[in-house]
């Protein structure tokens, strides 16, 4: 030993067979783990769901079952508690989001009801303003943005129209939407009760490119459209129209 000092934390091992006056053995280089390369063209399902409803139930299952299952593979009491806390935190976030969504839906409903009543009231008030001698042609007319005729369009009673034809082996739908932003369109097979929403279109026409339910078996499809303003359906659905589709 060159300096007479033994340092057991610099590589010396009492059971390594090396004399104390010999240099410590060289440490083998650390080799990083080799991660398996994914096979080309093969996708693997994640065990954590992407669907929000299923995801909540997945977290709840972890929360409810970890106390029973954790000890089976050696989890400590603390790790089990940490896992439950993590799951509880995520569940609470999702529940808070659901509560906020319910509040928003209620507020939207109240806004819609208020809009109908308050719009009718302000229209009547503006008609009275315009009947006064000094209002017409005054600067107030432009500043308050009440210039021009009133629209007779009523979104609460508006009913869009829909007509169908087959073009190029696909079903084409021509619709009217009045002063609304767009329409949602729905389809069902004749004889069934459930409507399936196929999409939303702001400009006519709309198209249904879905294949036959049973190849080479013609079917009668029924359609209707509902007008949309600010992403909310308004008014009255169109009449139900049908067409025979042979693929």
């Amino acid at each position: 030993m060159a300096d007479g000092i033994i340092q057991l934390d610099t590589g010396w091992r009492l059971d390594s067979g090396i004399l104390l006056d010999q240099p410590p053995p060289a440490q083998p280089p650390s080799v990083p783990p080799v991660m398996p390369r994914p096979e080309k063209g093969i996708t693997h399902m994640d065990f954590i769901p992407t669907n929000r409803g299923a995801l909540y139930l997945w977290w709840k299952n972890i929360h409810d079952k970890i106390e029973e299952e954790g000890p089976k593979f050696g989890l400590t009491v603390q790790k089990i508690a940490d896992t439950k806390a993590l799951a509880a935190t995520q569940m609470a976030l999702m529940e808070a989001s659901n509560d906020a969504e319910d509040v928003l839906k209620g507020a939207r409903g109240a806004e819609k009801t208020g809009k109908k009543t308050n719009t009718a009231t302000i229209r009547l008030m503006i008609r009275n303003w315009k009947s006064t001698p000094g209002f017409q042609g005054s600067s107030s007319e432009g500043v308050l943005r009440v210039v021009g005729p009133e629209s007779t369009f009523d979104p609460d009673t508006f009913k869009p129209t829909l007509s169908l034809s087959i073009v190029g082996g696909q079903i084409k739908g021509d619709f009217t939407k009045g002063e609304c932003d767009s329409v949602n369109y729905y389809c069902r097979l004749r004889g069934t009760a459930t409507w399936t929403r196929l999409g939303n279109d702001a400009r006519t026409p709309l198209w249904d490119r879905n294949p036959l339910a049973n190849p080479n078996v013609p079917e009668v499809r029924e359609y209707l459209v509902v007008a949309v303003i600010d992403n909310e359906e308004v008014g009255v659905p169109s009449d139900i129209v049908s067409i025979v589709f042979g693929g």
Side-chain angles (χ1 to χ4, degrees):
M1 108 188 105
D3 55 7
I5 299 175
I6 300 174
Q7 293 179 314
L8 296 179
D9 59 350
T10 59
W12 297 99
R13 288 175 56 88
L14 295 179
D15 60 350
S16 64
I18 303 299
L19 299 178
L20 294 180
D21 59 352
Q22 292 179 336
Q27 299 297 315
S30 60
V31 179
V34 178
M35 302 301 291
R37 300 178 68 178
E39 297 181 49
K40 215 171 185 183
I42 297 179
T43 56
H44 299 279
M45 294 292 291
D46 189 355
F47 54 83
I48 299 179
T50 54
N51 176 271
R52 193 170 182 277
L55 179 60
Y56 179 86
L57 295 177
W58 184 87
W59 278 109
K60 188 175 188 306
N61 184 66
I62 292 285
H63 179 274
D64 294 346
K65 300 292 180 62
I66 193 62
E67 282 183 304
E68 179 182 349
E69 299 300 320
K72 295 179 182 179
F73 53 93
L75 283 190
T76 64
V77 172
Q78 185 59 53
K79 288 186 181 297
I80 290 173
D82 291 344
T83 304
K84 282 183 69 73
L86 181 67
T89 297
Q90 183 58 34
M91 291 164 61
L93 290 171
M94 299 180 78
E95 290 164 1
S97 177
N98 290 341
D99 292 341
E101 187 175 1
D102 290 340
V103 171
L104 177 60
K105 287 179 180 178
R108 292 288 192 199
E111 176 189 349
K112 186 176 180 180
T113 301
K115 177 183 175 183
K116 183 176 182 180
T117 302
N118 296 331
T119 298
T121 301
I122 194 66
R123 283 189 186 281
L124 180 59
M125 294 171 69
I126 292 170
R127 289 191 197 107
N128 292 333
W129 299 346
K130 289 185 175 183
S131 67
T132 61
F135 191 82
Q136 292 293 337
S138 70
S139 60
S140 297
E141 189 176 29
V143 172
L144 296 175
R145 300 181 184 178
V146 293
V147 180
E150 294 182 18
S151 171
T152 59
F153 176 75
D154 183 357
D156 294 319
T157 59
F158 175 69
K159 181 179 180 179
T161 63
L162 176 66
S163 60
L164 301 175
S165 59
I166 295 179
V167 178
Q170 298 173 344
I171 298 175
K172 174 187 175 187
D174 293 288
F175 63 86
T176 60
K177 63 184 179 70
E179 297 180 24
C180 298
D181 299 330
S182 60
V183 298
N184 288 336
Y185 55 101
Y186 297 83
C187 177
R188 70 182 179 187
L189 292 181
R190 177 172 289 177
T192 61
T194 303
W195 290 98
T196 300
R197 181 178 178 272
L198 297 183
N200 173 275
D201 264 308
R203 298 178 63 182
T204 192
L206 57 84
W207 296 88
D208 180 7
R209 297 180 171 88
N210 290 313
L212 293 167
N214 297 304
N216 302 319
V217 179
E219 58 196 26
V220 180
R221 295 182 181 180
E222 297 180 329
Y223 296 82
L224 62 78
V225 293
V226 183
V228 174
I229 297 178
D230 292 335
N231 297 319
E232 294 283 339
E233 293 189 346
V234 297
V236 181
S238 71
D239 291 334
I240 298 172
V241 292
S242 62
I243 193 167
V244 178
F245 181 57

